[in-house]
Amino acid sequence: MRKLALVLALACSSHATIAAAQAGGEADNSGEIVVTAQKREERLLEVPISISVMSGEDMVQNGINSTVNLSQAAPGIVTVNNGFGFLPVVRGIQSTGTSPGDETNVAIYLDDISIGTPIAGFFDLADIERIEVLKGPQGTLYGRNATGGAIKIVTKKPSFETSGSVAADYGFHYNELKVTGFVTGGITDQLAGSLSGSYRTSDGFIKGTGPNVGRDFGGADNYVLRGKLLWQPSQSFSAVLSGDVWRQQNNSVFISHIKDGINPYPNIPGTVPNRPYENAGSTDPLARLRGFGGSLDMNWDSASGISVRSLTAYRHVAVNSQSDTDRTSIGTGNAVSGSNQISQYQKSFSEELTVSSPAEGMFTWLVGGYYYNSKAGNPYFRTYSGDAVRGGTIAANFTNRMKSEVFAGFGEVTLNLAEKLHVTGGVRYNSEKKTFHWQNLVNLAAAQVDRERTWNSATWRGVVRYDLGEDANVYFSASTGFKSGVYNAYSSLGIPVNPEKITAFEAGAKARLAGINFALAAYAYKYKDIQVSSYTQVGNPPTLQLTLSNAARAKMRGLEFTADGKLGGGFSFAAGLSWEPKAEYEAFTAAQVTVPLTAAELAVAAPGIIQKTVVPFDASGSRTVRTPEVTGNLRLSYEADLWGGEFNGSVNTAYTSAFYWQPGNLSREDPYAIVNFRLSWTKNRVTYSVFGNNVTDAGYRTDYVPNARGDSVKFVQREEFGVGVSYAF
């Protein structure tokens, strides 16, 4: 607390601050924000959707350098990492699956291209123009897997004017070095290009214990390289060819710590457990995530104002991991020692064609078609008795494949019935076929599993917006969304689950008063056929087995408020608050939970067993998992001339109230707050900075898996302070 007070005092005395997150898109000098949330450029103020926007510059100023930090950018968001699986939660809507072919129900787009699998969502942010977080189902324009919303990551475009930048940050605590660069300019009078790169390396934040004394774990070794070519032979046509390659290495995501640091095997002499922020595992953790992709984005504007866009893309991502599953120093030779090795990939191709009317007029419209083809799988999923690389033996191993093929058509129409009244209606039809294969690699004579299923889904959206003035309006929307049906590729059962479905209602108001942007939204969700792990009767004769099934339904109610703008005298701010008093399972009677043993049960339990699994467990009426009641963010900024240069200070605070990791209001995560700051001084295009990230030293958990011998948890990196220098031209 003393350290926090010192940092806040420094921030206030230096007038530290940020440029507003909700006002962080493409803004002119008046502070007007332009977004593409509805697949055309529009004023943020006039888009009848709850949207949080943050510019790339503001993200740097506020210590948000990875997708896992996005919860610090806007209210109503929680980020969870299951290994390299990035699982964002928006207003309580979330996904828990990471198997091949499964995707998050908060869709993630990189330059309007769906990145699909959760393992592709975990990456450093480089050359970012802005990020738009769309809240609520986006089933009409974005389609499948946008049940909870969409996160649009927009990177910088090439320019015919030569410009660029290079920057380096160094953090003292973990010897963290991040170097970034960007350059763009004209090549000919019709061709321009850009090239960007980012590299981040650091020591680990997890201390080695037991057999790992003297080592550290959790260090980063990441890079992103992106190139673009813009061809613009006329004012009416342009084409952007893009390519990127990236790597993410951080073995902390495959180190499971034991909650409260208890010893799961107290009867085995010399056992050292994985206590919080420590790793004693006898199997070295491994985490290698690599990806690449390319796209062609072509745009044509006719003389009549009709616009045509074709977006073609291919993306590939693969991960190799290794982890110690007994979470202790116990190695090969003891029956309780265990580890695993996993390889997973996804290859995807997509094509989207849209045609839109001029933005002005009594009648505006947009129609489109979409095709998506994905191949994903585990070449191997090995479970070892003992250490994977030190004499262990393979106890189980399987391979799988999941192919997805999607066809969709969509359209949206807006009638401007009067100068102030606007009515929008849209619909989308989606057909998706999944083909699943599973094979046992230990017993090759075992029967293979081959399944195929097609799901057809229609979603719709209706909006009424009334303008109270040029800079104020109210709106009401009703919309639906769905998450694709899927097979659990980790299971040999071959039982598909149907799509999740959501119906959402939202009433909101937006206004710009005295240079300050305000937005208020109230929402109500009806969420059904939720894909969860639950116990169901399987086989003949039927037996109770844990499966992925559509076993739950829930309701959400909440309010969100945001405000941002310039306060005068060099000050600006952004604030957001999300309050979700109701987020509960209406029906979830077949849940699985892990609960502490009673005193009587502990007296007869085997050494180290402190919990038991209860199935089926009726979690109806409990709060949905990973859903805090309150989240909020506050950013303050100050700019002024100083010592012949320009001073810029920023401080960003994000708060998350308590939530639960298990149904039944079990496994509570305590409230936490994160504070980042950055103080910069610029002269002659050179900027010198000092910064602090997570200066509150919040040690909150990013993943939680119940276990009879003590729950497995993973933690965020602790505080970091450092310096930076950059040059722009």
Side-chain angles (χ1 to χ4, degrees):
M1 291 304 294
R2 184 181 303 169
K3 190 176 294 181
L4 172 60
L6 176 62
V7 169
L8 293 177
L10 173 64
C12 293
S13 65
S14 302
H15 307 114
T17 157
I18 96 161
Q22 282 75 24
E26 296 181 3
D28 56 27
N29 292 332
S30 68
E32 195 67 70
I33 309 304
V34 177
V35 296
T36 56
Q38 298 187 122
K39 295 188 180 291
R40 66 168 82 218
E41 291 189 351
E42 297 174 288
R43 298 171 68 202
L44 175 61
L45 186 67
E46 295 178 348
V47 179
I49 301 173
S50 290
I51 309 175
S52 294
V53 185
M54 196 173 199
S55 72
E57 181 181 353
D58 291 344
M59 293 172 67
V60 172
Q61 281 293 105
N62 294 281
I64 301 172
N65 56 24
S66 170
T67 53
V68 300
N69 304 133
L70 290 178
S71 59
Q72 302 171 34
I77 303 175
V78 174
T79 53
V80 177
N81 299 100
N82 183 346
F84 269 134
F86 178 61
L87 302 170
V89 183
V90 175
R91 292 178 172 176
I93 306 299
Q94 61 194 282
S95 178
T96 59
T98 59
S99 68
D102 203 349
E103 300 184 17
T104 66
N105 51 13
V106 176
I108 303 173
Y109 289 84
L110 180 65
D111 291 329
D112 288 332
I113 300 160
S114 172
I115 64 171
T117 174
I119 63 174
F122 191 120
F123 55 88
D124 283 0
L125 298 169
D127 73 319
I128 302 300
E129 179 68 36
R130 69 182 183 278
I131 288 183
E132 302 175 14
V133 180
L134 286 60
K135 301 174 185 177
Q138 307 298 319
T140 303
L141 295 181
Y142 293 90
R144 56 194 294 277
N145 305 327
T147 318
I151 298 174
K152 288 168 54 74
I153 301 171
V154 183
T155 63
K156 295 178 180 177
K157 295 180 179 178
S159 171
F160 285 93
E161 295 184 7
T162 300
S163 64
S165 63
V166 61
D169 280 354
Y170 178 76
F172 298 113
H173 197 169
Y174 302 109
N175 290 319
E176 182 172 13
L177 175 65
K178 181 177 182 181
V179 180
T180 61
F182 176 81
V183 63
T184 185
I187 301 172
T188 69
D189 58 350
Q190 296 183 356
L191 190 67
S194 66
L195 182 66
S196 68
S198 171
Y199 177 70
R200 182 162 65 95
T201 181
S202 70
D203 295 341
F205 64 96
I206 296 173
K207 177 184 177 183
T209 57
N212 301 318
V213 169
R215 304 172 63 190
D216 58 62
F217 301 86
D221 188 13
N222 309 337
Y223 66 75
V224 180
L225 183 65
R226 180 177 292 109
K228 294 185 179 183
L229 285 174
L230 166 64
W231 181 46
Q232 191 169 339
S234 67
Q235 291 296 318
S236 61
F237 178 82
S238 66
V240 177
L241 180 66
S242 303
D244 65 274
V245 60
W246 54 277
R247 180 182 71 191
Q248 192 88 8
Q249 291 191 175
N250 185 329
N251 57 24
S252 69
V253 298
F254 287 101
I255 298 175
S256 293
H257 308 277
I258 303 173
K259 180 188 174 187
D260 301 325
I262 66 169
N263 186 348
Y265 301 104
N267 58 321
I268 300 178
T271 299
V272 181
N274 285 359
R275 298 182 178 90
Y277 290 98
E278 295 181 0
N279 177 40
S282 55
T283 296
D284 283 346
L286 173 68
R288 293 175 181 167
L289 180 65
R290 290 179 170 87
F292 63 87
S295 65
L296 178 61
D297 187 358
M298 296 185 291
N299 292 267
W300 176 69
D301 298 322
S302 72
S304 62
I306 292 177
S307 299
V308 180
R309 184 189 190 191
S310 170
L311 181 58
T312 309
Y314 175 82
R315 299 206 64 79
H316 176 100
V317 61
V319 61
N320 293 94
S321 70
Q322 180 174 283
S323 60
D324 188 302
T325 55
D326 62 80
R327 308 168 297 164
T328 72
S329 58
I330 300 172
T332 300
N334 194 300
V336 304
S337 175
S339 57
N340 64 30
Q341 291 178 332
I342 304 171
S343 176
Q344 188 164 319
Y345 70 90
Q346 184 183 55
K347 308 172 185 179
S348 62
F349 170 83
S350 63
E351 166 64 33
E352 183 175 75
L353 180 68
T354 57
V355 182
S356 59
S357 70
E360 304 297 330
M362 180 178 176
F363 176 77
T364 62
W365 50 267
L366 182 148
V367 296
Y370 180 73
Y371 175 76
Y372 178 80
N373 187 296
S374 166
K375 296 179 177 66
N378 293 116
Y380 58 81
F381 195 120
R382 303 172 185 142
T383 301
Y384 285 81
S385 174
D387 294 331
V389 292
R390 295 188 181 94
T393 58
I394 296 177
N397 189 16
F398 64 83
T399 185
N400 56 45
R401 294 191 303 272
M402 185 87 71
K403 179 181 178 181
S404 304
E405 189 171 34
V406 180
F407 296 89
F410 57 92
E412 193 164 271
V413 175
T414 297
L415 296 177
N416 301 303
L417 299 177
E419 183 179 355
K420 297 183 177 182
L421 182 63
H422 316 275
V423 179
T424 298
V427 66
R428 186 184 189 106
Y429 185 79
N430 188 94
S431 180
E432 179 165 3
K433 180 173 70 174
K434 286 189 183 292
T435 305
F436 172 57
H437 171 80
W438 190 95
Q439 181 180 0
N440 189 322
L441 294 180
V442 173
N443 181 9
L444 296 177
Q448 299 182 25
V449 179
D450 289 285
R451 301 285 189 272
E452 186 175 282
R453 180 74 179 270
T454 298
W455 291 275
N456 300 315
S457 300
T459 53
W460 53 265
R461 175 181 180 237
V463 185
V464 177
R465 191 187 95 219
Y466 183 78
D467 296 335
L468 302 174
E470 183 178 354
D471 292 327
N473 63 73
V474 294
Y475 66 89
F476 176 80
S477 68
S479 58
T480 61
F482 75 99
K483 178 183 183 291
S484 299
V486 71
Y487 292 88
N488 179 6
Y490 295 151
S491 169
S492 63
L493 294 174
I495 300 175
V497 291
N498 290 320
E500 294 181 350
K501 298 177 182 178
I502 188 171
T503 302
F505 302 93
E506 180 169 303
K510 296 186 177 184
R512 181 173 175 81
L513 305 172
I516 306 296
N517 300 307
F518 298 94
L520 176 66
Y523 60 89
Y525 293 168
K526 186 175 182 180
Y527 188 24
K528 64 180 183 178
D529 295 330
I530 304 174
Q531 298 170 2
V532 293
S533 294
S534 64
Y535 273 78
T536 55
Q537 298 287 343
V538 176
N540 187 19
T543 58
L544 201 63
Q545 295 192 39
L546 181 65
T547 65
L548 188 66
S549 59
N550 303 104
R553 67 175 187 267
K555 282 187 176 181
M556 285 83 171
R557 305 282 188 274
L559 289 170
E560 283 190 0
F561 172 77
T562 61
D564 64 77
K566 295 182 178 180
L567 299 173
F571 289 94
S572 60
F573 83 104
L577 180 67
S578 176
W579 177 48
E580 195 165 29
K582 184 181 180 73
E584 67 178 36
Y585 296 110
E586 282 194 306
F588 193 3
T589 59
Q592 171 186 314
V593 298
T594 300
V595 299
L597 296 178
T598 64
E601 290 170 331
L602 280 171
V604 296
I609 299 293
I610 61 171
Q611 300 186 124
K612 65 180 179 181
T613 299
V614 178
V615 291
F617 178 86
D618 188 355
S620 304
S622 66
R623 193 164 180 86
T624 55
V625 298
R626 305 172 179 175
T627 309
E629 183 172 340
V630 176
T631 57
N633 61 284
L634 174 63
R635 305 182 179 88
L636 299 172
S637 67
Y638 177 74
E639 293 182 354
D641 294 334
L642 179 67
W643 301 330
E646 181 178 305
F647 171 81
N648 182 293
S650 64
V651 64
N652 175 32
T653 302
Y655 172 78
T656 301
S657 68
F659 60 89
Y660 301 97
W661 290 97
Q662 288 196 87
N665 295 342
L666 299 170
S667 302
R668 184 178 188 265
E669 184 73 27
D670 291 333
Y672 58 87
I674 302 170
V675 176
N676 303 333
F677 75 88
R678 193 176 190 97
L679 309 177
S680 303
W681 180 71
T682 303
K683 185 175 183 179
N684 298 329
R685 300 179 180 268
V686 180
T687 300
Y688 307 91
S689 305
V690 295
F691 66 87
N693 293 332
N694 191 15
V695 299
T696 50
D697 204 25
Y700 64 94
R701 294 169 292 207
T702 61
D703 192 22
Y704 194 112
V705 180
N707 189 302
R709 293 183 179 272
D711 297 338
S712 294
V713 296
K714 297 183 177 75
F715 292 93
V716 70
Q717 180 173 300
R718 307 296 283 263
E719 63 183 4
E720 179 66 288
F721 295 88
V723 295
V725 62
S726 64
Y727 174 73
F729 59 90

